[in-house]
Amino acid sequence: MAPYESDDTTAVADADELRAARRRKAARYVVPAAVLGVAAGTIGLVPAIADSGSPDLPEITAQQLIEKIAASDVQQLSGTVKISTDLGLPDLGGLESELMSGATPSGGEGSSADPSAKLTELASGTHTLRVAADGPDKQKLSLLEDAAEYSLIHNGKDVWGYDSASNEVYHGTATEGAEQREGEVPATPQELAEEALKAVDDTTSVTVDGTAQVAGRDAYKLVIEPKQSGSTVGAISVAVDAKTGLPLKFTLTPASGGAAVVDAGFTQISFAKPAASTFDFTPPKGAKVTEEGSVDAPEHSQQPKEEDFAKGLDGLNVIGEGWTSVAVIDSGAEGMPSDAKRGDMGDAGAMGSFLGSLGDEVTGKFGSGTVFKTRLVNALITDDGKVYVGAVTKDALVKAADSGK
Amino acid sequence: MSQAEVIGSRRSPLWTFGLLRSELTTTFRRWRTLALLGVLAAVPVLVGIAVKIETSDSSSLGGGGGGEGPAFITQITNNGLFLVFTALAATLPFFLPMAIGVVAGDAIAGEANAGTLRYLLVAPAGRTRLLLTKYATTLAFCLAATLVVAVSALTVGALLFPLGDLTTISGTRISFAEGLARALLIALVVAASLIGVAALGLFVSTLTNSGIAAMATTVGLLITVQILDQIPQLHAIQPYFFSHYWLSFADLMREPVYWDDLIRNLGLQALYAIVFGSAAWARFTTKDITA
């Protein structure tokens, strides 16, 4: 405190001054601390307040609500959708994309703008999508990425896929195929809800569970629960817009509890007609355009694989019904080598033991095999090459395998 | 009037402006500052020439692998304006904040180091006002540095590559004029993204009397935060890092613009500015000035 120093201050005054100065010092630090506290409080509280709204809406039965969804005829909308998927798959990092590029023709020669390659990305993690629709002929789906975007644009006859990160364009023509392609990965809440409602029968309970506020709109919550035990699906909750009947949010919670496996919902929605320019697309100068047919080239090399897969599908059987149905695929091939056989298989053995380390060894009347678990779908691969897959628990899988013997 | 002027001259806004002006000229006349700006201006030149050489045999950049290198780099050959976005995306993670760290870290500690701080305080400005002036100068440097990168990139882009209508990352087309307007907006957002680092640097600068220590600490913190932001296990705290939403400026190139992350970024920068600005004030106004 150089300016305060002077010769005539006594020791007592000095001590007083020091104490006062120290208090002043401490008091000043209250300002940043208070700002920090207020900010932390606001960040913590605001989402809690925003979520707490459950609007007053007239009572409605589940049947009426489903009819409302079916009768929903929203032609024009634009909005932002957030999809979180947590299948509980082990995070394989780079290996995952490696496998992906092997499984789809996107590796190297193919186009990174190919829709089927891009949309599989939705299967894990959290993604933000934008959807816009104007009648049956114009739709746009954009997957927002870091400083890039993947857009799938359907405008009349044309279907464009544009990957801005690599500046690549995929062009196809829209027939029924276009809708089918979009159907491969149900992305909007409406598609997801329709998928779920297909499964409704006497094995399922459907109830209306109050109301909620989604994307600033009042919505009913439709809860679909399996009545059977043994399913890994806990409940499916669909938030349906009270005015338009459009499903706004889709949540699938596993029976084991914890975070939702799939959580897809609008975070923002508008029913105004989107600007026509939204659906206009001309490939930018210098962009690499892949026509739908020309992707065939790399696909030819994959042909044998696909045939194998088709052969595998021939052996497809379904055991059980409703939620606990288990698909049985008789691949006819040598199955997962269990520990005893692994030793003498070289590379394949190493791969086998790697896969084996991800799964659990089980035995039953059917013999022995390995169970691979995710939070939703479990698969049992027996040593004699049969694959049992279903959204059921491990025990139910073993039971299905036993009954299949 | 004249009497009021004599008495009130200490508090007149014009006087503050004079202090700011002298600070600005001191800062921007320094060789160090000019060298920093020169390095920043050179980055777009290097990127532009590299892209030009890489694509001179009419091959497409990156061989179609896609998504590697700074954002927008694949578009530069088709439209020089994209060099502005690429250059900003390339300099924002390190070059720009490092330059800010040097200027902000030097603001108080550098004066103390050179023994000029007490002379500054002898002038009847008051510590709070001096601190505000120092912060304003740092922010002016943020803007200047960003504009230097943008203008240099635009010049190089116009010289080496064609210009014209451009495609947004959502696939829609906008006119060149609108593209320019968006480029300016992006430059402003990038400059605003540096507000947090500037406040942090100023706070560090009030903690020490060594200019070098303050700069090193600021740049070190910057690098640490950038590394921590890459570790997936820390995703719970990452949204609070000042650098977390930096690349959200690219959202301005979407159609319609996706505001969520942009607003989060600006809010976070404002929060850093208030918290570290007031911490710097608390420290600087109670500090013993010995040098």
Side-chain angles (χ1 to χ4, degrees), chain B residues 248-270:
Chain B
S248 70
F249 75 82
D251 289 349
L252 283 168
M253 281 304 288
R254 302 188 199 279
E255 184 66 52
V257 174
Y258 184 65
W259 290 104
D260 292 26
D261 285 352
L262 282 165
I263 290 168
R264 258 178 232 142
N265 181 26
L266 295 181
L268 195 64
Q269 300 306 329

Side-chain angles (χ1 to χ4, degrees), chain A residues 166, chain B residues 50-51 54-55 59-66 68 73-77:
Chain A
S166 58
Chain B
V51 170
E54 176 88 348
T55 55
S59 70
S60 86
L61 194 76
E68 280 156 48
I73 199 163
T74 52
Q75 323 250 40
I76 295 176
T77 41

